Amino acid sequence: MNFLALDFDGVICDSQDECFHTAGVTFESIYLKGLSLGNFVSDNIQKLRELRHLAYSGEDFFFILFAIFNSHKIKSYEDLSNLKIKNKWELYFKSVV
């Protein structure tokens, strides 16, 4: 008997580092217009992990990275949501221009 187990939500294995890496690639291409973050994600992985509990979607990983990069203080999901609301359109226009 064969089994195929797919872990899309991190239940079987911890995927937070992969999520932050993917968010970093997206952040570089949209927010930094292709400039490199260098080792920013790996240098800040502890801060990113401390805020991981605020991520409910893939977009949240991006905005947690955005918050740390721009020295925004976020302590709750409400703080993260407000940051997203204030910056989402600016980032959208950066991505299409």
Side-chain angles (χ1 to χ4, degrees), residues 2-53:
N2 294 325
F3 290 97
L4 174 62
L6 303 174
D7 179 33
F8 294 107
D9 58 1
V11 172
I12 297 171
C13 62
D14 185 359
S15 59
Q16 70 180 334
D17 290 354
E18 179 183 352
C19 292
F20 283 120
H21 171 75
T22 302
V25 170
T26 305
F27 188 81
E28 285 179 345
S29 67
I30 292 174
Y31 190 70
L32 298 180
K33 290 289 190 188
L35 296 176
S36 176
L37 279 172
N39 294 329
F40 182 81
V41 171
S42 59
D43 289 347
N44 288 280
I45 198 68
Q46 189 59 38
K47 289 180 190 174
L48 295 165
R49 287 178 180 162
E50 289 169 6
L51 297 172
R52 163 60 182 99
H53 70 282

Side-chain angles (χ1 to χ4, degrees), residues 52-70:
R52 163 60 182 99
H53 70 282
L54 301 177
Y56 291 94
S57 70
E59 176 183 73
D60 293 338
F61 286 95
F62 176 92
F63 278 99
I64 290 170
L65 183 63
F66 176 87
I68 293 171
F69 185 82
N70 290 294

